[in-house]
Amino acid sequence: MPLEPFTVLTSRTVVLPGANIDTDQIIPARFLTTTTRAGLGRHLFADWRYRPDGTARSDFVLNRPEAHGCRILVAGRNFGCGSSREHAPWALADYGFRAVISTELADIFSSNCLKNGLLPVTVDEPTSAWLIEHPGAQVTLDVHACTLTLPHGAAVPFPLEAFARHCLLRGLDELDYLLERRNEIETFERRA
Amino acid sequence: MAGAPQTLFDKVWRSHEVSPESADRPAVLYVDLHLIHEVTSPQAFAVLRERGLNVRRPERTLATMDHSTPTLTAQVFGGAPIALDAARRQVRELEANCAAFGVELLGLTHSDRGIVHIIGPELGLTQPGKTIVCGDSHTSTHGALGALAFGIGTTEVGHVLATQCLLQRKPRTLAVNLSGELRAGVTAKDLILAVIGRLGVSGGTGHVIEYRGDTIRALDMDERMTVCNMSIEAGARAGMIAPDETTYRYLEGRPRAPRGEAWERALEAWRALPTDALARFDREVELDAAAVEPMITYGTNPGMAIPIGGAIPQRSGDAAFTQALAYMGLAPGEPIRDQPVNVVFLGSCTNARLSDLRSAARLLRGRRIAPGLRMLVVPGSQQVKRQAEAEGLDRVFLEAGAEWRESGCSMCLGMNGDVVGRGEYAVSTSNRNFEGRQGSGARTLLASPLTAAACAVRGRVTDPRELM
């Protein structure tokens, strides 16, 4: 399915500074009994956002008024570790996030983000430390240039796999590319 | 084959490249075996339907149900409805999808059903040199047989269903060299917890691990699967062990392993798979396995593990560490031994094979679990369950006061009705001690089946060697 092209994103940030925030925190397993992708945003960080009785915890960052409208999540090291559940990026995207920034992102999570128009951005320690110390900072992510521009104007490069970048910029679905490889796949199958 | 020396991983990867990677394109990697289950496949089948696509190679796809399925016999076989509505819907949807797309399903009442990572090897479908994927991060388990096996997301499940291929960048290689004999009371679970403690929970990110050395060679297949299973807990998508005579003995005669002449041909190909003598890894790590003690976790990720006789570390100024201990209700500097336990879970793709059940049963035989403690024993597959019952292990568990269930993921991830209560301490043979993993507010201590059994008897964290 074609996605919206992702070129430039400017937004304030929300910060979750802890290291090793796993996919069970992003979306607990009890919400994985759904058979669709839709509507998972309301379960994002469910056990941190809500008390056992379902009321919102006012001290959790996503429940504070300044988090409203923020599309970039800044997180501590190794965000998205654990399960392969794509429900994690589905929940983040459904909530409204378009990018996640950390010093390190888990492999499967990162790959899942790219399939859902959610930009996984890894930056160096000083940049991460600055972002964590400045929640709500307005930053710009440029997919074409692969840069993160901080409010004071410094542009920090981030790595982005070339094909993933190509797909994001044009809103392409990787499945179309794979389907176009049919002859090569048939040749491989005959050879194997 | 002439050319540069190669690792096991390199050999499997290269032989599955439909097209190699270039600067601007990832490799197109062919998938030999695609395992699917009810939780991470519905949205992938929906994409096939929306786009009018078929499953390209249904015979390379096998479905089962394990994550959201109940483990109570009445709900599996007795005609009682599955208690959770949503789980019932997922089960029905997988049945409908498999029927519509011609995919073989080992359904809820099938005698070969079980946790997806237990039944692949058990049926002989998991074989050396294969590429195996599944929408589950513990797919790394299958690497114990010398396969390249890794977890994928649901969009990728759709890619494999439609094309039998994945777009992948080639990961780096990491050799984990393990030497020395495991001491009495120390198991493969303790070994992998020690490895994760050493690497850290992201130390393997971007890498495929090959576990090597005399410690690994001495492990049986069940133990090797426990080791590879938890590779992802160190951040590595895959863990591999070179096939050897132990692997071939395990596979020979299994229902879906090659037979006769095909077996001989397969064996010849498999013998060429192990890493060449001069092959280089991107990184290497050494660990003295003879020094490993029975391990247990005290925090909220699998890297937070200590020897069972040790004290909880102190790390001032580390907010995540402080939060983890607050969640666990444990204090830095205190011993973990004698911590009261409410629940013991013996199960999961990490530790629910026959040898795991035997190991726990040996310790429990003639003993009772502590008063007030709940112990749940969930075999990894229906086949494991039948074998255990044939040996009378079910009697041992039941007479000790434990519950004996039908196979499934059960309490490992708290989405099927089997949960640990808020604030309760569970010693669990599973793989993740994340906050809320076993139920909202549940506190998980990961350990081996042997340690879990010892904790069940005493009702407190106990070194199993005290009861052996």
Side-chain angles (χ1 to χ4, degrees):
Chain A
M1 289 161 295
L3 298 158
E4 225 176 285
F6 194 137
T7 50
V8 176
L9 171 67
T10 298
S11 168
R12 284 176 301 113
T13 62
V14 170
V15 175
L16 283 173
N20 304 316
I21 294 175
D22 57 76
T23 51
D24 277 83
Q25 304 323 308
I26 301 172
I27 184 159
R30 63 183 183 278
F31 302 114
L32 270 50
T33 50
T34 175
T35 52
T36 68
R37 306 169 180 237
L40 290 170
R42 67 199 149 105
H43 304 309
L44 180 69
F45 297 113
D47 286 343
W48 290 352
R49 248 165 102 192
Y50 308 108
R51 293 190 193 85
D53 66 5
T55 55
R57 291 178 198 267
S58 55
D59 57 343
F60 183 63
V61 62
L62 291 192
N63 292 332
R64 287 207 288 263
E66 61 269 27
H68 188 76
C70 292
R71 319 210 39 203
I72 299 175
L73 178 65
V74 171
R77 175 174 49 81
N78 197 30
F79 184 80
C81 60
S83 148
S84 64
R85 62 189 69 166
E86 199 161 318
H87 308 67
W90 290 339
L92 287 161
D94 185 56
Y95 180 87
F97 286 118
R98 298 283 320 269
V100 180
I101 307 177
S102 179
T103 51
E104 205 175 355
L105 293 164
D107 284 341
I108 308 178
F109 174 76
S110 202
S111 157
N112 284 341
C113 283
L114 288 166
K115 310 287 192 290
N116 292 282
L118 191 65
L119 183 66
V121 178
T122 56
V123 293
D124 55 33
E125 284 285 354
T127 305
S128 169
W130 190 91
L131 287 167
I132 287 173
E133 283 160 20
H134 297 84
Q138 178 135 320
V139 302
T140 296
L141 289 162
D142 183 332
V143 174
H144 188 76
C146 288
T147 55
L148 161 70
T149 305
L150 300 172
H152 47 74
V156 181
F158 63 84
L160 185 58
E161 195 275 318
F163 187 68
R165 175 173 164 274
H166 169 81
C167 288
L168 281 171
L169 286 170
R170 289 165 185 77
L172 301 177
D173 184 336
E174 288 183 3
L175 179 54
D176 291 315
Y177 176 81
L178 275 171
L179 288 167
E180 285 161 16
R181 308 271 83 71
R182 193 168 63 194
N183 290 342
E184 290 162 66
I185 297 169
E186 276 171 11
T187 306
F188 179 89
E189 285 178 328
R190 278 197 298 271
R191 187 158 45 102
Chain B
M1 198 175 89
Q6 295 182 75
T7 63
L8 165 64
F9 162 75
D10 291 328
K11 294 179 195 185
V12 181
W13 177 274
R14 284 198 193 169
S15 63
H16 289 82
E17 280 176 337
V18 170
S19 56
E21 67 179 9
S22 64
D24 60 355
R25 291 288 181 272
V28 175
L29 194 72
Y30 195 78
V31 173
D32 290 323
L33 174 63
H34 186 198
L35 301 167
I36 62 174
H37 63 83
E38 78 281 17
V39 175
T40 57
S41 68
Q43 298 86 349
F45 280 111
V47 169
L48 297 193
R49 282 207 173 81
E50 280 161 27
R51 303 187 46 151
L53 296 166
N54 289 321
V55 174
R56 179 180 173 81
R57 299 293 300 269
E59 78 283 8
R60 290 188 178 275
T61 314
L62 179 71
T64 193
M65 37 185 75
D66 53 6
H67 281 65
S68 63
T69 53
T71 59
L72 285 166
T73 305
Q75 290 181 28
V76 177
F77 294 109
I82 297 175
L84 302 177
D85 283 348
R88 191 164 61 234
R89 273 200 303 279
Q90 277 189 333
V91 163
R92 297 290 166 258
E93 185 147 339
L94 183 61
E95 287 167 350
N97 283 331
C98 289
F101 288 91
V103 170
E104 184 187 3
L105 169 67
L106 304 178
L108 193 59
T109 58
H110 197 285
S111 59
D112 286 337
R113 189 185 64 84
I115 303 176
V116 63
H117 309 310
I118 303 234
I119 64 172
E122 188 174 76
L123 293 170
L125 269 173
T126 300
Q127 293 164 19
K130 274 192 180 181
T131 46
I132 302 175
V133 300
C134 174
D136 188 279
S137 62
H138 293 109
T139 307
S140 57
T141 313
H142 305 263
L145 288 92
L148 172 60
F150 54 90
I152 56 177
T154 295
T155 298
E156 290 181 320
V157 169
H159 292 177
V160 182
L161 288 173
T163 70
Q164 205 57 36
C165 290
L166 279 174
L167 285 168
Q168 291 287 304
R169 283 284 169 192
K170 195 175 183 181
R172 295 183 291 279
T173 53
L174 165 62
V176 172
N177 300 308
L178 300 162
S179 58
E181 198 179 332
L182 294 178
R183 296 187 205 173
V186 178
T187 70
K189 178 64 161 288
D190 304 301
L191 181 63
I192 189 62
L193 284 173
V195 168
I196 296 162
R198 172 71 176 278
L199 290 174
V201 288
S202 64
T205 301
H207 293 79
V208 166
I209 296 176
E210 183 181 330
Y211 300 96
R212 299 160 59 78
D214 57 277
T215 315
I216 292 295
R217 300 269 71 92
L219 298 181
D220 67 25
M221 288 315 301
D222 284 5
E223 294 170 318
R224 292 180 188 186
M225 286 186 242
T226 299
V227 169
C228 287
N229 173 272
M230 291 188 72
S231 303
I232 184 71
E233 311 316 332
R237 270 181 101 165
M240 302 176 82
I241 291 175
D244 60 10
E245 295 308 314
T246 305
T247 320
Y248 311 141
R249 270 198 306 278
Y250 173 91
L251 271 176
E252 193 168 13
R254 291 201 176 254
R256 305 199 189 190
R259 290 175 184 279
E261 230 177 275
W263 171 261
E264 295 305 323
R265 274 200 309 276
L267 208 52
E268 197 186 327
W270 295 343
R271 289 193 200 283
L273 285 171
T275 294
D276 298 329
L278 297 173
R280 298 280 299 265
F281 291 87
D282 294 304
R283 267 175 71 203
E284 299 212 31
V285 170
E286 324 282 326
L287 193 117
D288 177 10
V292 174
E293 297 273 331
M295 301 290 286
I296 192 158
T297 63
Y298 61 88
T300 55
N301 71 53
M304 300 174 85
I306 48 173
I308 199 159
I312 297 165
Q314 318 202 36
R315 267 187 239 157
S316 54
D318 182 337
F321 182 83
T322 306
Q323 188 191 325
L325 286 199
Y327 179 85
M328 293 299 293
L330 297 172
E334 294 293 313
I336 190 85
R337 192 171 170 274
D338 287 335
Q339 164 63 40
V341 174
N342 309 100
V343 177
V344 168
F345 172 57
L346 174 54
S348 89
C349 56
T350 311
N351 278 129
R353 282 167 286 268
L354 188 61
S355 59
D356 298 312
L357 303 188
R358 281 179 181 156
S359 143
R362 228 176 350 257
L363 196 139
L364 282 173
R365 197 179 296 274
R367 290 186 168 121
R368 296 265 322 159
I369 62 171
L373 180 134
R374 179 185 185 201
M375 180 173 186
L376 198 62
V377 184
V378 185
S381 69
Q382 294 308 102
Q383 202 181 121
V384 168
K385 182 168 188 265
R386 284 192 302 277
Q387 288 169 329
E389 288 172 349
E391 293 182 13
L393 304 185
D394 57 324
R395 298 308 316 163
V396 176
F397 293 121
L398 288 165
E399 280 161 20
E403 297 169 51
W404 177 248
R405 297 292 186 92
E406 304 298 331
S407 66
C409 300
S410 184
M411 218 177 243
C412 175
L413 80 172
M415 67 173 296
N416 45 53
D418 296 343
V419 288
V420 176
R422 183 172 295 278
E424 288 190 330
Y425 289 90
V427 172
S428 177
T429 66
S430 54
N431 39 56
R432 290 193 174 132
N433 51 349
F434 297 154
E435 278 184 33
R437 170 80 178 182
Q438 298 193 283
S440 284
R443 294 154 161 171
T444 303
L445 305 143
L446 300 175
S448 74
L450 198 57
T451 300
C455 296
V457 169
R458 291 264 176 89
R460 291 170 179 277
V461 170
T462 302
D463 188 328
R465 293 171 297 194
E466 293 170 23
L467 295 177
M468 281 164 64

